[in-house]
Amino acid sequence: MQVTDKLRSQAAKAVRVSMLIEGYKATRSKQTKDEAKRIMDRQRVQVSVPGK
């Protein structure tokens, strides 16, 4: 499956909303990014969203 820019932005938005619902702050700290990556790796979720 080819990932389009629209799908990539929707995935990023879904992750941000999910984190807000779970009580995470909206900041993008290195610790939060690392924790999200560990969780995604553990659940075998593979979404690549380039940082700006």
Side-chain angles (χ1 to χ4, degrees), residues 3-48:
V3 179
T4 63
D5 288 335
K6 182 178 179 182
L7 180 59
R8 199 172 275 132
S9 69
Q10 287 175 337
K13 182 179 178 183
V15 169
R16 281 192 301 273
V17 169
S18 175
M19 290 178 75
L20 287 173
I21 290 171
E22 293 181 15
Y24 289 96
K25 293 182 180 180
T27 60
R28 292 182 170 187
S29 70
K30 174 80 170 132
Q31 180 183 6
T32 304
K33 286 182 183 180
D34 290 343
E35 185 176 348
K37 182 166 177 43
R38 281 193 303 274
I39 292 170
M40 290 172 66
D41 288 342
R42 190 173 3 153
Q43 298 296 325
R44 297 184 181 150
V45 175
Q46 296 180 355
V47 177
S48 178

